[in-house]
Amino acid sequence: MLFRSKQHITAAAMSWQAYVDDQLIGTGMVNKACIIGLNGAVWAQSAGFTITPEECVNLATIANGLPGTVSGEGARPILIAGVKYIFLGTSRERENDVFYIRQGSDGAVIAKTNQCVLVGMYGDGMQPGSCNMTVEKLADYLRDNGY
């Protein structure tokens, strides 16, 4: 069951754009979001989110190689909408699937599922933990349903 819905909605019945609009942006806990395939192709994104195709490919590459691609020698830079973000760490529970980044008061959680990567961002005045929890719950739901 999705965390924002009283009825059960299967992943197959819901479009990827609806996940971005309803389950991420619609919560008020995420201000920009996108879902990209493990190859970096954009599946859905929120209005006005200016992440580039190259940045999506880079995020997918990082997510596919966690934790080694974001820390230590040879770490890949993390760019979103032309802004370089600082790697904060990976999830203790899902070290190989979730990582956190930040630049000033803006930040994001990036969560890999079986078939895609979720990017959920927060900005000034928003709670990072609430954004993280929202994105991670959707990622868990998608993983549990084979996506």
Side-chain angles (χ1 to χ4, degrees), residues 43-118:
W43 290 4
Q45 69 187 66
S46 58
F49 192 17
T50 57
I51 189 167
T52 69
E54 296 79 18
E55 292 167 342
C56 289
V57 169
N58 188 52
L59 286 174
T61 301
I62 291 169
N64 283 315
L66 278 174
T69 53
V70 287
S71 61
E73 194 170 320
R76 298 177 71 91
I78 304 167
L79 293 169
I80 298 177
V83 176
K84 186 174 182 180
Y85 285 79
I86 298 165
F87 170 71
L88 296 177
T90 58
S91 167
R92 281 181 246 178
E93 295 81 28
R94 300 198 69 86
E95 178 182 15
N96 294 321
D97 295 331
V98 177
F99 69 98
Y100 312 101
I101 60 175
R102 187 172 185 123
Q103 178 55 266
S105 60
D106 296 333
V109 56
I110 293 87
K112 183 178 91 168
T113 71
N114 303 328
Q115 296 182 16
C116 63
V117 177
L118 307 178

Side-chain angles (χ1 to χ4, degrees), residues 4 8 82 100 102 133:
R4 290 200 66 229
H8 181 72
Y100 312 101
R102 187 172 185 123
M133 186 172 60

Side-chain angles (χ1 to χ4, degrees), residues 1 10 14 24 27 40 44 48 59 65 72 92 101 112-113 124-125 135:
M1 184 174 206
T10 64
M14 192 166 186
L24 296 174
T27 66
L59 286 174
R92 281 181 246 178
I101 60 175
K112 183 178 91 168
T113 71
D124 192 28
V135 173

